[in-house]
């Protein structure tokens, strides 16, 4: 049975979109052509408008069979680490003297479609056309199925590398993909096989290159080029998709290494005491200016007693979801209390604020909805939007004109406007009067997330609606029991209709075991205290004003109408240094950096408590000013 080479090149408006080649027995040709043209017609880069398929018979003696190179992986923690391994392998190939030069060449080589042919004997790049480079063709994996229409980059790479190192005079190949998302490259040689190296560059870097290391003392360049471009090769015994010796956890270790390299690796610090204004860390007592327990209720004796009593009276866990066996009188009591506190008809508990946002938004919206979402909204809102499958239209931060423009220019059958009430990284307050007016005018639901508003803003700490003197009310108020209320859990406050709908549709409500008795009792007690002692919220509001005054007196710029006071430093490294210095001085104030906030707007994020004293706040402001003078220069 004769064998054929099939080559497909597809373009759209003159630009290359897809290319592939196969070497197959005659009987598989038509199926392969059909699969290849399907691929060109449904390509991610666009539907091809020109497809060129070339089919050539291969004479029996023309086809060379090669065993695939063995594949191994040498991941490193850093890009430089990968290049150190590349240099080491080059050294073992007797190229120690040229290793630095070759690595530099790979990292700087001109973008071209083909490869550089580097001659060791003359220390020169000798490919005849520097723009085009050397293009290796006429090769395939022997067992590749005729109809595999999905491109398999790994197999194609091993086939190419196997052919290249068999070319006369070629000693090794270095390769780095120009895909900005793909940071794995390889070095291949007959001696070491195909060695995957990762990371060879940072994610997002579009640089790529390919170098054939050749020695003109061993073979004629023309013979090497002729082999690479013309010799028909079938590669046998390809390894499976991922090399057999790869640990399935390897890709995660690689990603962690990349995070570390970009200073985006996250780790936790340990606290050895209850959450209050002073906490114990590594045996030291530090002043906490970063807690969400704004009213210092997480460590309040009465709240703790209520939780303990409830655990003894009601047990440790609830034993079921609300719709099965996990609905107790405590759940209903807390919901009634929340509805009354937020002045709505009804309320519904969720296990966390995160689950509340995800559950509410994905229940109220579907693929026929459009969600208008503030660009600074919390991650749990973003996740709820994603889960809903609705179209999401992001509007400029708290910019009601931009929101209105988007409401006017977007077609929708069902709509929802959703916003943080107090924005968690900037501490500013949503323009609720305009937002709810727009909701009414354009017939869309409105929802706010009061995670940092409850217990914090409004004359008695009831939140955003109170802050605006009850002049405007959104359809859904979402909140959490985990911040000013010092307990745990999320909630929705809304009309009876919405709440009944959520009970029937919100999956994070339906499919989770309900909150534990101790948590519910703690939240109930905290709400009771918040209402009975409005001076707590007022004291917090006073602390914000006082602290801002102290900062201004010390020459530090900051503004905020809420308990979250961002102090923008700008430079990421400087922000970290300032935060470290403050911790040395006994104040825990975290530095917040990209990607949580935009690049170049790194900041200290201070969160105040009602229990901080003026003396503590004044001293903190002075420490901040001093640390910033030392490490951050001028604030812009
Ligand atoms: C903390 C937070 C949440 C999540 O609440 P949890 O109860 O901690 O899950 C939701 N939205 C915003 C704005 C938050 O800050």
């Amino acid at each position: 049975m004769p064998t054929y080479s099939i080559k497909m090149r597809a373009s759209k408006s003159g630009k290359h979109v897809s290319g592939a080649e196969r070497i197959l027995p005659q009987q598989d040709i038509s199926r392969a052509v059909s699969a290849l043209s399907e691929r060109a017609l449904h390509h991610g880069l666009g539907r091809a408008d020109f497809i060129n398929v070339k089919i050539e018979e291969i004479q029996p003696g023309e086809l060379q069979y090669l065993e695939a190179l063995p594949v191994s992986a040498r991941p490193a923690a850093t890009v430089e680490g990968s290049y150190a391994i590349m240099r080491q392998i080059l050294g073992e190939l007797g190229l120690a003297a040229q290793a630095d030069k070759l690595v530099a060449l790979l990292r700087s080589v001109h973008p071209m479609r083909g490869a550089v042919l580097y001659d060791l004997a003359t220390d020169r790049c000798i490919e005849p056309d520097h723009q085009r480079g050397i293009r290796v063709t006429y090769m395939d994996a022997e067992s590749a199925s005729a109809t595999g229409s999905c491109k398999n980059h790994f197999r194609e790479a091993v086939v190419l590398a196997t052919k290249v190192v068999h070319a006369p005079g070629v000693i090794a190949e270095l390769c780095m993909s120009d895909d900005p998302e793909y940071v794995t490259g390889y070095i291949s040689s007959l001696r070491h096989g195909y060695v995957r190296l990762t990371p060879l560059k940072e994610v997002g870097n579009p640089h790529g290159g390919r170098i054939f290391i050749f020695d003109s003392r061993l073979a004629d360049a023309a013979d090497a080029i002729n082999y690479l471009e013309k010799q028909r090769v079938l590669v046998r015994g390809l390894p499976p998709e991922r090399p057999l010796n790869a640990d399935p956890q390897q890709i995660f270790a690689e990603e962690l290494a990349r995070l570390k390299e970009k200073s985006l690796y996250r780790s936790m610090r340990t606290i050895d005491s209850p959450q209050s204004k002073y906490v114990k860390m590594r045996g030291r007592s530090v002043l906490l200016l970063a807690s969400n327990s704004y009213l210092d209720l997480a460590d309040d004796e009465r709240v703790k007693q209520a939780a303990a009593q409830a655990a003894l009276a009601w047990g440790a866990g609830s034993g079921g979801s609300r719709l099965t066996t996990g609905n107790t009188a405590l759940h209903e009591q807390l919901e009634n209390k929340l509805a009354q506190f937020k002045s709505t008809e009804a309320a519904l508990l969720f296990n966390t604020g995160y689950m509340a946002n995800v559950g509410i938004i994905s229940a109220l919206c579907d693929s026929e909805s459009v969600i208008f979402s503030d660009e600074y909204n919390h991650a749990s809102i973003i996740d709820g939007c994603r889960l809903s499958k609705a179209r999401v239209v992001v509007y400029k931060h708290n910019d009601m004109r931009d929101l209105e423009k988007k409401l006017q220019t977007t077609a929708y059958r069902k709509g929802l406007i959703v916003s943080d009430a107090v924005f968690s990284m900037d501490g500013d307050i949503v323009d609720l009067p305009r937002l709810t007016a727009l909701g009414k005018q354009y017939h869309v639901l409105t929802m706010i997330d009061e995670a940092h508003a409850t217990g914090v803003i409004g004359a008695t700490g009831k939140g955003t609606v109170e802050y605006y003197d009850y002049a405007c009310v959104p359809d859904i108020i979402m909140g959490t029991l985990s911040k000013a209320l010092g307990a745990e859990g999320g909630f929705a406050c809304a009309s009876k209709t919405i709440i009944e709908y959520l009970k029937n549709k919100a999956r994070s409500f339906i499919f989770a075991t309900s909150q534990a008795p101790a948590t519910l009792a703690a939240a109930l007690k905290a709400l009771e205290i918040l209402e009975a002692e409005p001076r707590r919220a007022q004291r917090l509001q006073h602390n914000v004003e006082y602290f801002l005054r102290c900062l201004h007196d010390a020459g530090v710029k900051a503004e905020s109408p809420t308990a979250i006071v961002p102090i923008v430093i700008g430079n990421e490294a400087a922000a970290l240094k300032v935060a470290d210095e403050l911790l040395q001085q006994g104040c825990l104030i975290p530095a917040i950096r990209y990607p949580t906030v935009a690049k170049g707007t790194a900041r200290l994020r201070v969160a105040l408590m009602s229990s901080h004293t003026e003396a503590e706040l004044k001293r903190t402001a002075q420490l901040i000013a001093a640390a910033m003078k030392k490490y951050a220069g001028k604030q812009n």
Side-chain angles (χ1 to χ4, degrees), residues 363-381:
L364 295 178
C365 301
D366 58 30
S367 57
E368 295 190 342
S369 312
V370 175
I371 301 173
F372 299 88
S373 175
D374 189 289
E375 64 179 325
Y376 286 6
N377 275 346
H378 190 259
S380 54
I381 294 179

Side-chain angles (χ1 to χ4, degrees), residues 9 32 38 83 133 151 157 179 227 258 286 350 398 443 468 526 563:
R9 297 261 164 255
E38 277 303 300
Y83 284 105
K151 208 170 164 78
D179 180 344
Y227 180 93
R258 280 192 285 277
V286 295
F350 290 81
N398 216 3
H443 306 289
Y468 286 111

Side-chain angles (χ1 to χ4, degrees), residues 251-269:
I251 45 176
F252 307 111
E254 288 167 14
E255 175 61 13
L256 285 176
R258 280 192 285 277
L259 288 177
K260 277 188 185 149
E261 191 179 317
K262 289 190 281 182
S263 307
L264 295 177
Y265 187 82
R266 291 165 187 253
S267 54
M268 296 185 273
R269 52 168 86 82

Side-chain angles (χ1 to χ4, degrees), residues 589-620:
I589 304 175
I592 309 285
R593 294 162 294 160
Y594 175 84
T596 309
V597 296
K599 269 201 180 119
T601 71
R603 63 197 62 183
L604 296 177
R605 180 184 180 277
V606 179
L608 297 179
M609 283 180 169
S610 57
S611 53
H612 287 135
T613 63
E614 290 192 349
E616 285 161 348
L617 295 174
K618 186 167 195 170
R619 185 177 125 79
T620 302

